[in-house]
Amino acid sequence: MSARAKSPVFEYAPAPESREIARLKPSYQIFIDGRFRDGSGDAVKTINPADEQPLAEVAEAGPADVADAVAAARRAYEGPWSAMPGKERGKYLFRIARAIQERGRELAVLESLDNGKPIRESRDVDVPVAAAHFFYYAGWADKLGYGGFGPDPRPVGVAGQIIPWNFPLLMAAWKIAPALACGNTVVLKPAETTPLTALVLAEIIAEAELPAGVVNVLAGGPAIGAAIVEHDDVDKIAFTGSTEVGKIIQRTLAGTSKRLSLELGGKAANIVFDDAPLDQAVEGIVNGIFFNQGQVCCAGSRLLVQESVADELIDSLQRRLATLRVGDPLDKNTDVGAINSAAQLARIRELTESGVAEGATRWSPPCELPERGFWFAPTVFTGVSPAHRIAREEIFGPVLSVLTFRTPAEALEKANNTPYGLSAGVWTEKGSRILSMAAQLRAGVVWANTFNRFDPSAPFGGYKESGFGREGGRHGLEAYLAH
Amino acid sequence: MPTKRPKQTTPKQPAADATRLRVRKTYKLYIGGAFPRSESGRSYPVHSAAGDLLAYVAQASRKDVRDAVVAARKAFAGWSGATAYNRGQVLYRVAEMLDGRRDQFVAQVGQAEMSTAEVAAGEVVSADAARAQVDAAVDRWVYYAGWSDKYAQIVGGTNPVAGPYFSFSLPEPTGVVGVLAPQDSSLLGLVSVLAPVLATGNTAVVIASEDRPLPAISFAEVLATSDLPPGVVNLLTGSTAELAPWLAGHRDVNALDLSGVVVADRKALQIKAAGNVKRVYAPHEPDWFADPGISRLGAFVETKTVWHPIGV
């Protein structure tokens, strides 16, 4: 309930999106060489994290399926795909973009069911930005010679792509679109807990009549990911996920000629100066850490606020958090949905408990969490020291750690004091300070007076242990072109 | 340890005035703008391609690697924060100093490098061939000096995002780069791998060619007299096999250039490099005289994207 109890408050009426729109099927199959088939691995139930009920059964891939998928991708690469004129490849990508738009509502509901994210986000961000990525890279397919990679850039070959569960469809689009635009073929592995939208994307790709084998989608767990990484006939690996797994992949590829791009973890600082428009900053802080339940590699998980406005800002942040609606992901009023899995929830709990144990002060707004499902209330820690685990480790949940600073130099020092370097935020009305901070923050994306903005034309990726390579924009082509 | 067999044990220097004893140079490391000996106190003999003993040079240790990384990190903020025009001027100054010492480098490169056939024939590299290397090295440095204030315009730009935001992307230096300099091309190879690292604003820890380090050490003297801030380049001599793993595994080194490591030895270093997700550049040995293009400039930069709302 709002803290502003004195003014009249209109209650929200439930506005649930119908789960029928998702056209859930009882079972889903993997996609190899243009055909759907049961994988040779286990049949696994994917569950709705909002209520822990099974959504569908997925016949996961086994090692033999990896071999078949890579062989199919190789045949498609040597056969029709790499020889196809760019303008024809581009038209296939345009078809995919349009089909995602046409089936946008279905994909959004399915994404919210499988992932737990609010329908408002899957509808307004995940699905439209996924379509936009295909649309953007479609246009590059016949213009690669103008990209600055030489007059006649060549594809790399077969790309193995492994994506996380936080933006299942969007990450598939980020990976597949530039790979295909450059003339590569793809073996994609969605995350084990969120395979459904990638498999519907495979359906869209089949209906767009792409040549068999150009895109192959293998549902499965880490062993399937490892099999793709280790396969001798894969030319390039693109991975989005944890820094820990990214390092394992980098080690695995040592001594091989395989290309690698990594988009890994983060611990972004969101820096608020005393001259910032505080109401806007509060909205940016909320968006920064509670968007997608904080399960975002570029989440603004460390709030650095100038000491002189810290009390005022935290007070207004807490008032704002009391208005957040946590609950049914399919309700259009919902701001914060479910945590994706029991394992992730356990990690968030473990790290939050360490915050309390190490002496930080924990606060959450009053909110009722559903009895079933994986839920975690929005949480703010104050009195956080840079040495605390909650200030150093990626929590990947709706947990904000607040630290304070006095001078811009101290803010920079604290912001950059991390092995990560994916993103950062700066809030101030002073233009020269924005540009100075932006130049000195060691992070791949700096949002000034905004946060968590994504666009297919804007390169995204990390410094330091947040990975290497860029996705999006002209820069995103580089990972999929031979050099 | 060096594998060259010495023909004779007394150091031989170019002929000098018969009545005057030459003052020989002590070849030391270059760390943080100073020329220290190895903290380990070790040295190793360096021979010419013809087998003559040229000098005992400092044999750097693991701790020297760490000191060099500290110096490079300390220099990074200043060098990366300098204007591109300023970096270009400093780098051009390096080319001026190098050109002014051409004769010295021609002699040293000539002593260091010769073909297998020439070794068999007992000849030294002809002065013309050595001169061509030095001239190319000067020109290569001038080439990269000119890139420092142009590269961002080639690869950076604005992003036409779908919303009321101004978004732009720029290349920024990766940080501290560990450079394993080419083993064969003692000067042209060295400048070809080092100049692009510096032009984009990185700082460097270089491990010089193990058997042919003298041109590299003399080049460090050029750097020291070229207004290059201390620590921007740190140059170590010694055993590549001994030092490279410490550089590859160092958590405060952001990137690694494996040009001077044979393919068979690269895997172990790449595994160590993954410990902090280093960017690893492992090219095939190129023709150092060929047009280098811009690929080396792109190997050690990060793309930064900045967003700001547009409104009134």
Side-chain angles (χ1 to χ4, degrees), chain A residues 255 438 441 446 455 459 463 467, chain B residues 162 172 174 270 279 303-305 307:
Chain A
L441 285 162
V446 177
D455 191 278
Y463 283 38
Chain B
E172 288 198 341
T174 294
Q270 287 174 312
R279 291 83 175 109
T303 300
K304 176 180 280 175
T305 298
W307 293 67

Side-chain angles (χ1 to χ4, degrees), chain A residues 43-56:
Chain A
V44 172
K45 286 200 163 46
T46 184
I47 63 166
N48 180 351
D51 61 12
E52 297 176 63
Q53 296 301 304
L55 289 170

Side-chain angles (χ1 to χ4, degrees), chain A residues 129-211:
Chain A
V129 179
H133 256 82
F134 277 103
F135 199 88
Y136 175 81
Y137 279 108
W140 265 119
D142 60 353
K143 303 169 190 67
L144 298 173
Y146 298 97
F149 304 101
D152 184 26
R154 303 299 308 154
V156 179
V158 174
Q161 306 181 318
I162 298 164
I163 58 170
W165 45 260
N166 57 345
F167 296 92
L169 178 70
L170 182 56
M171 290 299 105
W174 278 31
K175 293 283 181 288
I176 295 173
L180 298 195
C182 294
N184 303 276
T185 57
V186 162
V187 176
L188 175 89
K189 189 194 86 67
E192 195 165 24
T193 58
T194 55
L196 298 187
T197 47
L199 292 170
V200 172
L201 179 62
E203 223 174 271
I204 286 170
I205 284 166
E207 286 167 3
E209 296 177 341
L210 266 77

Side-chain angles (χ1 to χ4, degrees), chain A residues 125-326:
Chain A
V125 180
D126 294 67
V127 174
V129 179
H133 256 82
F134 277 103
F135 199 88
Y136 175 81
Y137 279 108
W140 265 119
D142 60 353
K143 303 169 190 67
L144 298 173
Y146 298 97
F149 304 101
D152 184 26
R154 303 299 308 154
V156 179
V158 174
Q161 306 181 318
I162 298 164
I163 58 170
W165 45 260
N166 57 345
F167 296 92
L169 178 70
L170 182 56
M171 290 299 105
W174 278 31
K175 293 283 181 288
I176 295 173
L180 298 195
C182 294
N184 303 276
T185 57
V186 162
V187 176
L188 175 89
K189 189 194 86 67
E192 195 165 24
T193 58
T194 55
L196 298 187
T197 47
L199 292 170
V200 172
L201 179 62
E203 223 174 271
I204 286 170
I205 284 166
E207 286 167 3
E209 296 177 341
L210 266 77
V214 170
V215 175
N216 305 273
V217 181
L218 302 179
I224 295 305
I228 294 170
V229 169
E230 289 163 13
H231 197 293
D232 286 340
D233 206 27
V234 171
D235 301 299
K236 188 239 158 34
I237 296 294
F239 172 75
T240 296
S242 72
T243 292
E244 184 190 357
V245 174
K247 289 178 182 179
I248 293 171
I249 293 174
Q250 192 179 357
R251 281 189 199 105
T252 306
L253 296 196
T256 73
S257 58
K258 283 179 200 166
R259 297 266 301 275
L260 176 63
S261 50
L262 298 171
E263 203 269 85
L264 309 175
K267 191 73 189 174
N270 201 359
I271 306 169
V272 181
F273 285 96
D274 59 6
D275 67 340
L278 289 190
D279 288 345
Q280 288 173 40
V282 164
E283 290 309 306
I285 293 161
V286 170
N287 173 35
I289 186 61
F290 300 115
F291 175 62
N292 204 23
Q293 297 70 248
Q295 301 166 130
V296 187
C297 45
C298 54
S301 55
R302 286 184 298 154
L303 174 62
L304 300 185
V305 53
Q306 198 152 21
E307 212 172 80
S308 49
V309 291
D311 290 345
E312 182 187 352
L313 183 81
I314 290 164
D315 188 48
S316 96
L317 179 65
Q318 290 181 340
R319 262 187 282 122
R320 175 67 178 86
L321 293 186
T323 69
L324 283 183
R325 301 182 62 79
V326 184

Side-chain angles (χ1 to χ4, degrees), chain B residues 227-284:
Chain B
D227 301 328
L228 194 73
V232 170
V233 174
N234 305 275
L235 187 129
L236 306 176
T237 50
S239 159
T240 301
E242 178 194 348
L243 300 176
W246 299 112
L247 198 55
H250 198 295
R251 303 281 294 202
D252 207 27
V253 172
N254 299 100
L256 202 59
D257 180 343
L258 295 179
S259 293
V261 178
V262 295
V263 172
D265 294 343
R266 287 178 175 180
K267 180 176 178 178
L269 297 175
Q270 287 174 312
I271 288 172
K272 282 193 174 292
N276 67 332
V277 197
K278 283 187 185 67
R279 291 83 175 109
V280 180
Y281 187 65
H284 299 294

Side-chain angles (χ1 to χ4, degrees), chain A residues 65 71 103 149 152 213 217 223 257 300 374 435 460 473:
Chain A
D65 298 313
R103 295 175 69 175
F149 304 101
D152 184 26
V217 181
S257 58
F374 312 129
L435 293 175
F460 181 93

